[in-house]
Amino acid sequence: MFGQKLSNRKVIVDLLALLFGVGSWVGVNGIYVQLPLLINTAPEGWSLPAHMVMIVQFANLGPILYTLSTKYFTYTKDHYTIYGLLGAGSLSIFVLAFLYDKSSYIFGSDHSTALLGLMFISSFVGCTSSVLFMPYMRNYREIYLVSYLVGEGLSGFLPSIVALIQGVGGNPECVNVTKPGSEIKFETQYPEPRFSSRAFFIFLGSLLFLSLASFVSLTKTKVARGERVKLPSSTETLPTDMNAPPSYKTTSGWAMSKQTYFYLLGMMAVVCILGNGMLPSLQSYSCLPYGNVAYHLTVTLASMAGPLAMCLGFVIKNPKVKLLSGLMALTLILSGLVFYLAAESPTPPLQHSWLGEFLVVILWILVCGFIGFIKMGITTLFRPDPGRGLYYTGVATQIGSLVGAITSYTLVKQEIFQSYSPCQALTGH
């Protein structure tokens, strides 16, 4: 049986499609998992994640520009656009490896202009991939779409694994740097990781370059071109048909009540407000008071939790709305706990105890896992819709992400959440 499955496909094309998928979000995900190291030297400090979340939202300009180019410029070719995106993405990460710690003095304060500017390019690639990369895989036999999706999942998993190996060197220490005859002074010193952020970003850039090379092979090699299919002359039957009305009940066998339809769209917006906007911005405030190790484990393991939870879609084919509602309630409760810990910074409950570190890591793994599963479940329920269900799901995702990002950025800039220094207790301020 296994031999028959392999004989019906080209394994090399599976590998190329997988590596192509890795290039979608690997740049953004890789920068995120470096936060426990970047945040120690960035002039934005603990507010750096909030700035990064806003940068990703600005990068949604990519899908808009791509849509306009396909509508008004007939000479636009998708494969050339993908060449440019992956090439720019890999180059930006290679440059980031040498400039990530450079800052500029703008509007009266220092800013991580190199880091945030180059992250915008990576985010531009990721956001545009949602409307370009996966649809391009329709040029190939359907069996290769799964390989692409696996690669897209690995774009978050691989950087997290490498970041776990890298580590953060341990929790920071306070060192007495008082000079004779002067006021007592302590400085926070951070242990070195197993290898530097520069080495990590070079690895990340290499992954993106490998993704570019794989896509070139998909479009140019004879074995890959032999697996292409002839596209239908009309796309009117696609689930995201823009000319179809919103469909609650259809003659194609798909049915959903109007109340459930809008309820699920609202649920998608709320989980994206939390998962894509607010929670990532508050992660540093809720985790760092428990130490760098807890923050590092939270960032890396929580980054894995979402994709792993989405893999449950292969087991749970049609999740019930009641199940999603129950998980949504748990997500709101757990998110409330995250907000509470962030608000209690710099002295949250169970600080300086192994139980506190353990609970905050578990809390973040659960909330990210639940959010990933809910997103997968809602998308699965809308996938058979012959109308515009998936289109409106995407709209709810983008609106929720934008609202969450703006809200969290505003709260952080208002200094509602306070950062923690391990030397505060020693210096008395």
Side-chain angles (χ1 to χ4, degrees), residues 143 145-151 153 307-319 373 376-377 380 383:
I143 55 176
L145 179 59
V146 176
S147 301
Y148 169 85
L149 292 173
V150 170
L308 289 176
M310 291 181 180
C311 290
L312 291 175
F314 292 104
V315 180
I316 306 174
K317 299 295 183 181
N318 293 297
F373 184 85
M376 178 278 301
T380 299
R383 187 175 294 134

Side-chain angles (χ1 to χ4, degrees), residues 43 128 157 169 174 282:
T128 311
F157 196 80
C174 287
L282 304 181

